[in-house]
Amino acid sequence: MGAGGEEAPRIIVPMAVEGTPNQLAFVEESKLQKRKENVDWAVRNRERRAAKRQRIRDKHKVAVRRPEEFVTAFRNKERDFLRMRTRIKVRSQPPVEALGSRLVFAIRIPGSVDLHPHIRKVLRKLRLTKVLTGVFLRATELTLKRLLVVEPFVTYGFPNLKSVKELIYKKGRGFFDMEPFPLTSNDLIEKALGDHGIICLEDLVYEIATVGPHFREASRFLMPFQLKCPERRLQMKRKPYRDGGDSGNRGDKVNELIEKLN
């Protein structure tokens, strides 16, 4: 009621007619679900990075160590370095042409934490800085030399197509735009490797398994595979696999190990 008892006029809002500019935008349910998944993934990623930063802070906290521990660590590092130099001088590398495959899968096995700086540098170049991680490598003279340098700390061999496919499908993760992501979308694979003719997961598996012309880009796109701990833990033995140890070249037997760790 208005002033003087008069009824105020009603304002009628016209309904939007289909096809007019006033019509609400229609968004498919699948797109809304994808947006929600992206938001959830971003939240989980931020939490993961925050937890990683906290672990690094806790790891670098000052701890009191006895002088004997420093002496033991220094002697172990020097011993590993001298053994590495001896291996390079005594052991002869087979020619690349004589190998059964051009594809190598290397796994970082448990062992010493304090490594010699030179050995740690080679492991970093191979992207094997964490225990029970694996990477695909091209069999070259340089790669075989690096594997010989860090032989007590890695085990490697020549995987078949089945092992490559199961590893990438089950534990594959890509790294694009400074962020890791699971290989659940071919769109991200195309954005990262589309310039090299790799547009889907099957193309990625084929490029790795056949050691194609863009193997370097494909292998660098894949993050190191985080493998699970086997029932019988790999022990840090100072002898290669052929002599009953866990390190060194396994040849085709690496497929059995991949099946246990995948």
Side-chain angles (χ1 to χ4, degrees):
M1 299 292 290
E6 297 180 0
E7 185 178 356
R10 288 205 236 163
I11 301 176
I12 301 176
V13 180
M15 297 180 63
V17 182
E18 186 177 358
T20 61
N22 295 330
Q23 185 181 4
L24 295 177
F26 173 75
V27 182
E28 297 179 1
E29 184 179 358
S30 59
K31 292 184 178 180
L32 293 176
Q33 183 67 21
K34 185 64 177 178
R35 291 177 186 175
K36 183 177 182 301
E37 291 176 358
N38 291 338
V39 172
D40 294 341
W41 179 81
V43 172
R44 292 195 303 269
N45 192 40
R46 284 196 298 268
E47 294 175 352
R48 179 188 60 80
R49 297 177 67 179
K52 182 178 180 180
R53 288 194 295 268
Q54 186 61 39
R55 287 197 303 269
I56 294 175
R57 294 193 195 101
D58 296 340
K59 181 180 178 181
H60 290 84
K61 285 184 178 179
V62 178
V64 179
R65 298 179 62 185
R66 295 181 299 175
E68 294 83 358
E69 296 180 2
F70 290 98
V71 175
T72 303
F74 176 78
R75 288 178 176 174
N76 291 338
K77 291 179 183 179
E78 290 301 313
R79 179 193 60 189
D80 292 338
F81 183 71
L82 291 176
R83 289 180 175 178
M84 179 266 295
R85 295 179 62 180
T86 303
R87 282 196 306 274
I88 295 177
K89 291 180 179 179
V90 175
R91 300 266 295 275
S92 58
Q93 286 293 99
V96 179
E97 295 78 10
L99 298 177
S101 173
R102 294 183 300 164
L103 180 64
V104 176
F105 186 73
I107 303 172
R108 174 79 159 90
I109 62 177
S112 303
V113 178
D114 291 333
L115 301 174
H116 191 276
H118 181 75
I119 297 177
R120 190 179 298 276
K121 180 180 179 181
V122 176
L123 286 172
R124 192 180 302 114
K125 289 181 178 179
L126 294 173
R127 301 194 299 159
L128 294 173
T129 56
K130 295 182 180 180
V131 174
L132 287 180
T133 55
V135 293
F136 289 112
L137 303 169
R138 188 198 301 267
T140 62
E141 293 183 3
L142 179 59
T143 299
L144 296 179
K145 183 178 180 180
R146 288 176 175 174
L147 291 173
L148 182 61
V149 168
V150 298
E151 186 179 75
F153 310 97
V154 299
T155 183
Y156 60 95
F158 309 110
N160 53 29
L161 176 60
K162 179 176 179 289
S163 298
V164 174
K165 188 174 182 179
E166 290 182 351
L167 272 172
I168 295 179
Y169 271 80
K170 190 172 181 179
K171 294 188 177 297
R173 298 182 68 200
F175 193 79
F176 176 66
D177 199 15
M178 302 301 291
E179 291 290 340
F181 64 92
L183 300 180
T184 56
S185 173
N186 288 332
D187 295 336
L188 292 176
I189 297 177
E190 184 176 2
K191 288 180 181 179
L193 301 172
D195 296 339
H196 308 295
I198 303 173
I199 60 175
C200 62
L201 197 57
E202 289 77 9
D203 292 343
L204 182 60
V205 172
Y206 179 80
E207 188 72 19
I208 294 294
T210 60
V211 193
H214 303 291
F215 174 84
R216 175 181 172 83
E217 291 80 6
S219 61
R220 286 288 175 178
F221 165 75
L222 288 171
M223 296 184 63
F225 296 89
Q226 187 63 50
L227 306 173
K228 67 179 182 181
C229 183
E231 296 179 359
R232 184 191 72 83
R233 293 184 60 87
L234 295 172
Q235 303 298 321
M236 189 56 195
K237 298 180 180 179
R238 295 292 177 180
K239 52 184 178 180
Y241 174 76
R242 65 174 182 271
D243 297 332
D246 286 323
S247 63
N249 186 4
R250 292 173 178 256
D252 296 336
K253 297 294 184 180
V254 75
N255 295 292
E256 300 176 4
L257 182 61
I258 292 175
E259 186 176 357
K260 294 179 181 179
L261 303 182
N262 194 3

